[in-house]
Amino acid sequence: MTTLAAAAITSGRMEVVSLTATYGFTLQELQAATFGSRPVKTWLHEHVHAYQGMTTSYGYYTTMLRLYQNTRVVRIIREIGSASARLEPPLLDQIRRLKGPARGRAQENAQAWYTVELLLMYLEGDLDRYSRLVTSSSDGRSFAALFAEVEENMIAYFKADLHNICPATTSPLLREDRMLDEQILSWKFWVDDGGGDVRSVLESGALATEWWRAWPSTFEELKSSMPSINLYSRWIHHALKVLDAPDPRSLLLTYSALVDLALNPPILPHHADLRAPGMLSGDMNPFWRLITSMQMVSSAGVPIIRDLERDYIRFNQSLCDLLGWPTPMTIAAASSERLPHALHMPDPMTANYSLASFLRGQDPVVFLDMDVWWDSSEPAKAFCGKFTHPVVQLAGDGAFFSSTPQDSITYVEQFLLHRYFNQIMASRTRPLPPIELPFNAIQGEVDIYTSKMEQTIRRRTGLMHPQVRLAAGAVRAHME
């Protein structure tokens, strides 16, 4: 087994599913705001993040990777208990002190947990933690090798733990290209403002939507209304240079479609048969997919999107044919067909992704057309209630849970569990710091979630007295 160094690992740098949206304006101020105003821009920006996490194959995949990590930590805790040992975090160190068969089984689970952690770091472009972990563990596996190992484990996880979900059993291997692996990881250092990772894809995609219905009339106006080149705006500035758009509206619609394409790779086991022979690691990585697809639009002269309803399908089909990628519609069709009906999902994460895939099949631009948020029809209200942040806070108000409160609670609890399990796996800080709730909670909410966490951990691990320390979140409001 690869030797793991606990100090090199921390919890995920960012959660792809945005659990909360905390705003610095009131509900009344939002309702009175107009398109192009700061409250509306911020509202749109944050809801795009919710879409990115809940409705894309990348968002769902990375969410499930984290839930899978939780199951492996549970098994490690049970093995420690079977050896009659007292829990002594970090577990990566304690595993080495175990004796007998329990040690081998715990090491096997730790290896699976660690491989996912490494894969997440690679996908997110977190070169700092990736390099520390690889150096400390002497792990020289390529992305293709990491992905193949994780996929085998995820197929078993989908079948055994998420019952009735049966992905494809054949998984064409990705072609190894270590130079590309290194290039993708190193890109953030070539871009001196940190714009070379998945976070830059997420943020620029959300930024591109801020001008909805308040499109700049000239490119100069667009440039002047954008931040200077940084994490949020770098790739839109790049799009201004490489995309032959007649006006800012066309450029921003096209860019939003490119980000959506970047976040919908054939990355799930359910999509294995959609991968062309010889697909590379970059074909799974949203950052690389965005850069590659922008360059292809430019070099091949793919006509850009002027009207979403009219041009979107043609644009995606033409571009994906050139790149050898399945379109987001093809990905959605496979997901909708191969995941059980949303009503029979064992968890809200799968239910939301399954429903989103079905809706994409009905309307391919459903997650690009932001007019739905100003549609007063009952179907639109139901849609907005489902595909929003599980928890929303506005200035002067407490936390608002989504239209399905139990789903919101599940999202928050899974977030806290992943933080807790990663903390006891790797942290050497003593005492372990409290885990903050992902919203500005009152003490009563802290107590409720502490009790729920302890009950869940007892039920899943057999620990009689789990030590859980939660704290009220000090979440900074967006655009105060």
Side-chain angles (χ1 to χ4, degrees), residues 57-70:
S57 62
Y58 178 83
Y60 176 65
Y61 178 72
T62 51
T63 296
M64 300 317 287
L65 287 183
R66 290 177 167 93
L67 298 190
Y68 169 72
Q69 281 187 306
N70 289 353

Side-chain angles (χ1 to χ4, degrees), residues 52-170:
Q52 290 167 343
M54 293 181 181
T55 75
T56 68
S57 62
Y58 178 83
Y60 176 65
Y61 178 72
T62 51
T63 296
M64 300 317 287
L65 287 183
R66 290 177 167 93
L67 298 190
Y68 169 72
Q69 281 187 306
N70 289 353
T71 66
R72 289 295 185 164
V73 179
V74 166
R75 293 177 191 177
I76 291 169
I77 294 172
R78 287 188 172 277
E79 291 299 341
I80 291 172
S82 74
S84 301
R86 183 167 174 261
L87 206 65
E88 297 176 359
L91 303 188
L92 290 176
D93 290 346
Q94 185 176 8
I95 288 168
R96 300 189 189 102
R97 301 193 295 271
L98 293 177
K99 306 294 183 183
R103 176 175 178 171
R105 292 191 295 267
Q107 284 180 324
E108 179 183 344
N109 284 294
Q111 176 68 32
W113 176 91
Y114 154 81
T115 302
V116 170
E117 192 75 358
L118 205 59
L119 185 67
L120 283 168
M121 293 176 199
Y122 174 89
L123 286 169
E124 292 176 356
D126 194 342
L127 180 60
D128 298 333
R129 287 195 303 127
Y130 182 91
S131 298
R132 289 199 303 273
L133 185 55
V134 169
T135 299
S136 64
S137 62
S138 302
D139 192 325
R141 286 177 292 173
S142 66
F143 173 86
L146 289 172
F147 186 80
E149 181 179 326
V150 170
E151 177 143 289
E152 183 178 348
N153 289 335
M154 289 300 288
I155 289 174
Y157 172 62
F158 275 113
K159 289 182 176 179
D161 290 67
L162 297 182
H163 312 296
N164 197 31
I165 298 179
C166 300
T169 55
T170 56

